[in-house]
Amino acid sequence: MPTTANTASNESTGAGPATGLARSALLHLRHLLDLLDRGAPAEQFAPPAAPAHGPHLDEADAAVVAEATRVALRIRRTLGQHRRREAELAALFDTAGDLARLRDPDAVLKAIVHRAKLLLGTDVTYLSLNDDEAGDTYMRVTDGSVSAAFQQVRLGMGEGLGGLVAETARPYSTGDYRDDRRFRHTATIDGAVTEEGLRAILGVPLRLGTRVIGVLYAADRTARAFTPDEVALLSSLADHAAIAIDSARLLDETRSALVDLGEASRTIEAHSDAMRRAEDAHDRLTDLVLRGAGITDVATAIGAVLQGGTLIHDADGTELARVGTDSGRPSAGAVASSRAGGRAVSADGTWVCAVLAGPELLGSIALTGRPDLGDADRRLFERAGVVTALLLLQRRSVAETEDRVRGELLGDLLTGAADPASLPARARRVGVDLDHPHAVFVLHSAAPRQRLLAAAARIAHTRKGLAGLHHDDVVLVFPAEHPGPGAASLAGELGQALAVPVTVGAAGPVGGPGPVGGPGSFPDAHAEALRCRTALRALGREGSGAALGDLGFLGVLLGDQTDLGGYVRRTLGPLLDYDAKRGTELVHTLRTYFDEGASPSRAAEALHVHVNTVVQRLERTGRLLGRDWPRPERALELQLALRVLCVQRPDDSGPPAAPSPA
């Protein structure tokens, strides 16, 4: 309003009353400009009823002032809108910058919701994302929410305000959601909204092109209408938010892809290293086989590559090699499981791999000390099984060839069909020296013949002998000067290896230099060993081993070249030695005792001695021969030896002379 000073100034200019009235109107207009410049509140723009000093405005001037006031108010509103829009744009730019700097998807979502709350000044802001697989939209982030049910609510497409926005990709607002029938109300959504206490809700779509990825909301707990500016502001923020969400998602996917790529690269590198290691190990093992290395060399190489102890067994469970571990036979169940699955299996901390040639089981490998065997080392262990199978097949092929040669040699020895002079040279080529005395052993067992033959072949190999089939019997020949004890030992060894009784008949020694005869005597020795084995079985002595000389008078009866003097010596030797040393007549007394029907009294009459003398002599005989000498079978042996001693001619080889007293 014009001041007193201004009025005085105007009056000093000499202006008339009309000029004063015009000046009052101009002063009022200038006052309006000052208010616009200061951004004064709207109520200060109202024209006064009368000026503070000076005359009243006339009707025309008052109309001009009133119109000027209305224009000034419009200008003020426009300027206010511009300033508000400028502030909103600045806030949006700041928001875009903040979102662009964020890399974590969760941080981006929280920043969007918080910035929306600051820009619109509402009680609650929240954001939901669409679930394309489930076909709905679910609450993802909230700011200002206090209800757990509200923070976990899911909205089907078209349900509630948010579901409608997600379905139509258009913004929707309501001044009071509970009473707004435009939306499809559900008990779940209405319960969550009521628990949160929301009334006014605004929702705008988060769009990427034509695709809606979610909804951004602003809500108040009091009923009110959202202005178009608020709708536009939240929509602009949603557009920025959608881009930020997608960028964060792409960045997160890129980061995950890089991590996966790194892991894949490391996996490929590890796999490549494992493949190279496996190839090197395979080449190393194969080279060993091709260079003719033994099974122990392969077991050593397997243990070195896999850093564990190694056991190799054949199909029968016989240990072939052991390196870096204690001996132990793998369980039959583990071998069967590996054979069925074609893979190595773990049993009590030991890895077992069946060695196969197609469906045929050749043996097994056991790896100890590596309970944590990884996939790469497991495949390497299985590859070692393939190489071991190659070695065992090679060994079997060589063994079969050698066994065929040995079998032919054994057949020629036992039949006498070949030139005896050529046999020693042929034997030396397979490591058998016929210049040493050999014994012939004929075997019988309830075990399968091939198992018995395999066990005999192993013994023949270790003792530098021969083993094979001859007339359907398993026959074993190896150096031995005492066939009887050798047969007994062989029966025990084979019986333990096969877990079934093995009966062994023996004969010999034959071959070698001197009077025992050359290679031509092997057929007779085989026939004698066969008779001995038959006698053992007939006597019920299954599982035992002996030579004919160990069978007493049966040996005398069955033998072709019986040593009668040896028989007498084995049967009556203690008595003969006693009589020779002391000049007694124990042998004569025993013969008379048998001749008189085993009667001490009649024997005493025939000997012209007292019966007590006969009894004393018989007691001493028992001490020398054993308390069982009167038993029928033993008595028969003694009577036969006494008869042989009685009828033996002077030129026969009689019993050895008794040693002279020392």
Side-chain angles (χ1 to χ4, degrees):
M1 296 296 292
T3 64
T4 305
N6 291 336
T7 303
S9 175
N10 291 336
E11 290 177 350
S12 66
T13 61
T19 302
L21 292 174
R23 286 175 180 169
S24 297
L26 291 174
L27 289 174
H28 189 76
L29 293 176
R30 180 177 177 178
H31 177 65
L32 292 175
L33 292 175
D34 289 338
L35 293 174
L36 288 174
D37 182 55
R38 295 199 308 268
E43 58 269 15
Q44 294 185 13
F45 283 78
H53 299 283
H56 293 287
L57 296 176
D58 60 19
E59 185 176 349
D61 288 339
V64 171
V65 171
E67 180 62 25
T69 300
R70 288 192 292 273
V71 172
L73 287 171
R74 286 200 302 273
I75 293 173
R76 178 188 177 280
R77 284 194 297 273
T78 300
L79 290 175
Q81 291 174 351
H82 287 172
R83 281 194 294 270
R84 186 172 62 254
R85 190 58 178 167
E86 182 179 358
E88 292 173 353
L89 290 174
L92 288 174
F93 287 138
D94 291 342
T95 299
D98 293 342
L99 295 178
R101 287 190 292 272
L102 295 175
R103 295 293 181 265
D104 181 37
D106 288 338
V108 170
L109 296 177
K110 292 177 181 178
I112 291 169
V113 172
H114 184 66
R115 189 57 64 95
K117 191 170 187 294
L118 294 178
L119 289 178
L120 272 73
T122 54
D123 297 328
V124 182
T125 50
Y126 48 99
L127 182 147
S128 66
L129 293 178
N130 289 4
D131 187 339
D132 295 332
E133 293 184 1
D136 61 7
T137 182
Y138 63 96
M139 198 69 70
R140 184 66 175 79
V141 181
T142 64
D143 191 341
S145 172
V146 296
S147 168
F150 182 78
Q151 295 166 11
Q152 299 173 5
V153 72
R154 298 183 74 98
L155 299 84
M157 291 298 178
E159 294 179 354
L161 184 145
L164 187 60
V165 173
E167 183 180 54
T168 62
R170 295 174 56 190
Y172 280 91
S173 66
T174 177
D176 192 343
Y177 176 77
R178 289 179 293 183
D179 297 330
D180 198 331
R181 298 295 98 188
R182 292 178 300 161
F183 308 110
R184 188 194 310 168
H185 290 261
T186 67
T188 302
I189 299 173
D190 287 357
V193 170
T194 301
E195 185 174 322
E196 189 63 52
L198 299 182
R199 302 288 295 277
I201 303 175
L202 168 62
V204 297
L206 295 167
R207 286 178 293 197
L208 286 174
T210 59
R211 185 167 66 93
V212 177
I213 63 172
V215 179
L216 180 61
Y217 305 84
D220 277 325
R221 292 189 174 90
T222 58
R224 74 174 183 89
F226 286 95
T227 66
D229 289 343
E230 290 176 317
V231 175
L233 177 60
L234 192 61
S235 296
S236 298
L237 181 59
D239 292 339
H240 287 292
I243 296 173
I245 291 171
D246 192 54
S247 299
R249 178 187 60 80
L250 292 175
L251 182 61
D252 188 59
E253 290 178 355
T254 302
R255 188 184 298 112
S256 299
L258 289 175
V259 172
D260 293 342
L261 182 61
E263 293 179 354
S265 178
R266 288 189 292 272
T267 301
I268 292 172
E269 184 177 356
H271 181 70
S272 179
D273 291 342
M275 289 294 294
R276 284 194 297 270
R277 183 163 168 255
E279 290 174 0
D280 292 342
H282 183 76
D283 293 342
R284 178 179 175 184
L285 294 173
T286 304
D287 184 62
L288 285 175
V289 175
L290 295 179
R291 286 193 289 107
I295 193 71
T296 301
D297 297 325
V298 173
T300 301
I302 295 172
V305 169
L306 295 175
Q307 300 178 348
T310 310
L311 285 162
I312 299 180
H313 293 78
D314 65 10
D316 295 326
T318 302
E319 183 180 298
L320 301 179
R322 171 167 51 93
V323 177
T325 185
D326 296 332
S327 61
R329 185 173 178 176
S331 68
V335 175
S337 177
S338 176
R339 180 183 184 182
R343 302 291 304 275
V345 299
S346 179
D348 299 328
T350 298
W351 285 90
V352 178
C353 181
V355 178
L356 303 172
E360 181 184 0
L361 179 67
L362 301 179
S364 65
I365 310 177
L367 181 69
T368 64
R370 286 294 308 276
D372 56 342
L373 200 65
D375 290 341
D377 284 347
R378 176 176 175 175
R379 289 191 293 271
L380 182 55
F381 182 48
E382 292 166 352
R383 183 171 293 190
V386 175
V387 175
T388 305
L390 176 63
L391 176 61
L392 293 182
L393 284 174
Q394 183 186 59
R395 284 166 54 90
R396 186 169 72 178
S397 178
V398 172
E400 287 175 351
T401 302
E402 186 174 318
D403 288 346
R404 185 168 58 253
V405 174
R406 287 172 173 269
E408 292 173 355
L409 174 61
L410 180 64
D412 290 343
L413 278 174
L414 299 182
T415 59
D419 180 10
S422 66
L423 294 176
R426 290 173 56 190
R428 282 193 293 272
R429 285 196 290 270
V430 294
V432 176
D433 187 1
L434 294 181
D435 290 337
H436 291 85
H438 283 62
V440 179
F441 304 90
V442 180
L443 316 179
H444 178 271
S445 175
R449 185 178 300 168
Q450 288 302 320
R451 285 191 63 200
L452 180 60
L453 178 60
R458 284 194 291 269
I459 293 176
H461 179 74
T462 58
R463 301 187 185 182
K464 297 182 179 180
L466 300 171
L469 288 175
H470 186 68
H471 299 320
D472 295 331
D473 290 317
V474 177
V475 180
L476 183 60
V477 173
F478 59 78
E481 294 186 0
H482 304 288
S489 175
L490 186 60
E493 183 177 352
L494 289 172
Q496 184 177 7
L498 299 177
V500 292
V502 178
T503 307
V504 181
V510 293
V516 294
S521 59
F522 275 93
D524 293 337
H526 169 257
E528 182 177 325
L530 181 60
R531 289 195 298 273
C532 180
R533 188 207 64 182
T534 303
L536 287 172
R537 297 186 64 198
L539 293 173
R541 293 174 59 180
E542 294 281 354
S544 64
L548 281 179
D550 302 318
L551 300 183
F553 76 93
L554 280 178
V556 174
L557 295 176
L558 296 173
D560 287 339
Q561 299 177 352
T562 304
D563 180 9
L564 295 177
Y567 173 70
V568 171
R569 160 59 56 186
R570 287 191 297 273
T571 308
L572 299 175
L575 297 183
L576 294 171
D577 293 341
Y578 191 89
D579 285 347
K581 184 177 181 180
R582 292 174 172 79
T584 57
E585 296 183 351
L586 295 182
V587 173
H588 181 58
T589 300
L590 182 63
R591 181 168 56 243
T592 303
Y593 171 75
F594 283 127
D595 289 343
E596 296 299 329
S599 170
S601 59
R602 289 198 296 271
E605 292 178 4
L607 293 172
H608 306 288
V609 296
H610 194 275
V611 67
N612 290 338
T613 301
V614 173
V615 173
Q616 291 173 358
R617 290 177 180 179
L618 292 178
E619 288 178 351
R620 183 167 299 277
T621 297
R623 287 195 295 269
L624 293 172
L625 298 181
R627 296 298 181 184
D628 64 340
W629 71 268
R631 293 178 58 187
E633 63 272 15
R634 184 75 185 278
L636 180 60
E637 293 273 356
L638 294 172
Q639 291 180 67
L640 180 60
L642 291 169
R643 294 296 179 185
V644 171
L645 181 63
C646 183
V647 302
Q648 192 172 26
R649 296 190 304 271
D651 57 345
D652 287 339
S653 57
S660 60

